[in-house]
Amino acid sequence: MKTAKQNKLKKAGWTIGSASDLLELSAEEDALITMKLSLASNVKKLRKAQNLTQQELAEKIESSQSRVAKMEVADKSVSMELFIRTLVSLGASRQQIGKVIGSQSTDNKKAALNKSDDLLVSS
Amino acid sequence: MKTAKQNKLKKAGWTIGSASDLLELSAEEDALITMKLSLASNVKKLRKAQNLTQQELAEKIESSQSRVAKMEVADKSVSMELFIRTLVSLGASRQQIGKVIGSQSTDNKKAALNKSDDLLVSS
DNA sequence: ATTGATCATGTCATTATTGACATAATACTA
DNA sequence: TAGTATTATGTCAATAATGACATGATCAAT
């Protein structure tokens, strides 16, 4: 329960903010970070499901490959705004995005979208 | 189906972006805006449910009364990030926030949170 | 009507987020 | 072994979002 999420976070540039000794998250920080991790893994999942390269997705959303990469590793420099705009561009509905935000990313592999639904193909 | 949402949007500073003659939203713009409208109305709803003034909420989230006001009218200058941080501060769970994002705001009165649940009291 | 409390709107300097670029690291294929 | 495609990381100038402040607008209650 310790280093699983935390390594990933330190790597992505997150400083586990305010509290005590080291690496203790407030419930609120945790909620935000959990959301971003889930958004990140779902961006990657949807991109791959549509056989897009990061470069191609970048063009679709009028951004750059490097920013897409940062998204997918949940770099702290990427905002909710960008995550969500990207998922929308990938064809995710509000409802699906809602689910992504409300669920865990299962930290590595298993994406949060499609726990019951399955992959959308979009426009 | 025309001026209901659109007046509110123009007032909040939204320029109905790219497309044709006037006031036509792309599906993607619409999704984003719908999310923000729903977030906005739920911030207001939760704040009131906890009998907080905008000023008090502002202190809680370390912001200002004016920014809270802008949130609640879905001003275009407020980001997803702030909406979500605010709801979290008001005690909303990821799941609840997910629901808010996935549902309509019913444009005026009826908030999206608690379609089945009901008001949370938080910390 | 006047006051007092609350909410709305405009502006601005500071900070955060952005796309772009370079370049490193990691696959994948031959 | 390369060689090529794809993804990761660092940096930075440009833009967007922020909190703060001033000032209006609304609404009660007396």
Side-chain angles (χ1 to χ4, degrees):
Chain A
M1 202 73 168
K2 208 63 181 295
T3 25
K5 183 193 254 176
Q6 297 183 341
N7 282 338
K8 193 166 183 180
L9 293 178
K10 282 181 67 175
K11 191 140 180 273
W14 295 93
T15 258
I16 309 303
S18 35
S20 38
D21 246 304
L22 194 66
L23 290 181
E24 197 57 37
L25 307 121
S26 80
E28 290 164 15
E29 286 172 315
D30 184 77
L32 267 319
I33 290 175
T34 300
M35 288 183 205
K36 288 199 177 182
L37 288 176
S38 183
L39 288 163
S41 73
N42 278 277
V43 164
K44 186 170 195 168
K45 177 168 189 173
L46 276 186
R47 175 179 65 80
K48 288 201 163 168
Q50 300 180 222
N51 284 306
L52 297 175
T53 172
Q54 290 184 343
Q55 177 60 44
E56 292 169 322
L57 174 53
E59 285 159 13
K60 199 182 186 75
I61 66 175
E62 304 180 280
S63 180
S64 61
Q65 179 269 323
S66 60
R67 201 126 283 280
V68 171
K70 285 175 223 270
M71 263 196 265
E72 294 188 356
V73 298
D75 188 278
K76 80 166 183 313
S77 83
V78 354
S79 70
M80 289 278 181
E81 198 83 27
L82 184 59
F83 277 124
I84 292 176
R85 285 209 318 264
T86 301
L87 285 176
V88 167
S89 281
L90 281 168
S93 66
R94 288 202 328 278
Q95 290 81 353
Q96 289 171 312
I97 293 172
K99 273 191 192 170
V100 168
I101 284 177
S103 60
Q104 313 264 115
S105 83
T106 320
D107 238 352
N108 308 314
K109 292 299 147 49
K110 217 171 166 193
L113 217 169
N114 324 317
K115 210 138 218 168
S116 46
D117 316 5
D118 229 332
L119 282 181
L120 54 160
V121 197
S122 101
S123 67
Chain B
M1 201 77 167
K2 209 66 183 293
T3 26
K5 184 193 252 176
Q6 297 183 341
N7 282 339
K8 193 166 184 180
L9 293 178
K10 282 181 69 175
K11 192 142 179 271
W14 294 92
T15 258
I16 309 302
S18 35
S20 40
D21 247 304
L22 195 65
L23 289 181
E24 196 58 38
L25 307 121
S26 80
E28 289 165 14
E29 287 173 315
D30 182 78
L32 266 322
I33 291 176
T34 300
M35 288 183 206
K36 288 199 178 182
L37 288 176
S38 182
L39 288 163
S41 73
N42 279 277
V43 165
K44 186 171 196 168
K45 177 169 189 174
L46 276 186
R47 174 178 68 80
K48 288 199 163 169
Q50 301 181 219
N51 285 305
L52 298 175
T53 172
Q54 289 184 343
Q55 178 60 43
E56 292 169 322
L57 175 54
E59 286 159 12
K60 201 182 184 74
I61 66 175
E62 304 180 280
S63 180
S64 62
Q65 179 269 324
S66 59
R67 201 127 284 279
V68 171
K70 284 174 223 272
M71 264 197 264
E72 294 187 355
V73 297
D75 189 277
K76 80 167 183 311
S77 83
V78 355
S79 69
M80 288 277 181
E81 198 83 28
L82 184 58
F83 278 124
I84 291 176
R85 284 209 319 265
T86 301
L87 285 176
V88 168
S89 282
L90 282 168
S93 66
R94 290 202 327 278
Q95 289 81 353
Q96 289 170 312
I97 294 172
K99 272 191 193 170
V100 168
I101 285 176
S103 59
Q104 312 266 115
S105 84
T106 320
D107 238 353
N108 308 314
K109 289 300 147 48
K110 217 172 166 193
L113 216 170
N114 323 317
K115 212 137 218 167
S116 47
D117 315 5
D118 228 332
L119 282 180
L120 54 160
V121 198
S122 99
S123 70

